[in-house]
Amino acid sequence: MTQANRYKELAALTKRADDLDPAYHAAFYLLSYDPELYETARRYVNVDGIGFTGIKRATRDFDERTRFVVDIAHNLFSYNSACKATPFEISRLGYPYLEMVCNSFYIATGEVQVVLEPGQDGQLEMKLDASRYQQNKRIQQRFEQLQKSMFADMVQDEAAEPER
């Protein structure tokens, strides 16, 4: 089973897979990567949400990186939950966990969307659509250019004004 299939299954357990907010998508993105974590997490996903207390209890014997990923998923899902993973510890997660966690940040804000589509081999594949992020980035760059232009015009106007 691919990560895309695991992700889809977790979303389906909510009975509203087409109407989930970005916090769910970020959590499912992280919880679906590792098959063993997925098997554990799926027992705690239902129509009421994600039971992170149960997931954390059930993953006590997992490696530290996986427990940090669960903590991060919980915090992205419920912003006021305690998160033991500090920025320093996140920076030490290494590949592929660090990349997944960074992607999940963008997913949680709605800047990036998870897209599931059939691959060439017929297996479901997961892709990340960053078009909204790219659009916001272009808007920000245009805004910064406008600010620079306005500042240059102000400097030029001040230089052209006679002293009083």
Side-chain angles (χ1 to χ4, degrees), residues 87-148:
F88 175 81
E89 289 160 331
I90 292 169
S91 75
R92 299 303 188 263
L93 287 174
Y95 183 83
Y97 298 99
L98 178 59
E99 184 175 313
M100 288 179 359
V101 166
C102 290
N103 288 339
S104 72
F105 294 161
Y106 289 111
I107 294 167
T109 64
E111 295 286 317
V112 170
Q113 292 189 339
V114 176
V115 177
L116 304 178
E117 52 190 38
Q120 291 181 353
D121 59 359
Q123 287 281 356
L124 196 59
E125 290 183 356
M126 178 182 287
K127 298 189 184 214
L128 299 179
D129 176 5
S131 58
R132 185 169 180 191
Y133 172 78
Q134 293 301 330
Q135 179 185 13
N136 287 342
K137 185 177 174 181
R138 285 190 298 276
I139 290 169
Q140 179 63 29
Q141 289 169 337
R142 288 183 194 138
F143 182 71
E144 288 171 2
Q145 288 173 342
L146 178 63
Q147 283 180 315
K148 286 178 186 176

Side-chain angles (χ1 to χ4, degrees), residues 40 44 50-60 70 74 81:
T40 302
Y44 300 96
I50 305 172
F52 277 100
T53 303
I55 295 172
K56 287 180 178 182
R57 225 179 286 124
T59 58
R60 269 187 247 174
V70 170
H74 186 198
S81 67

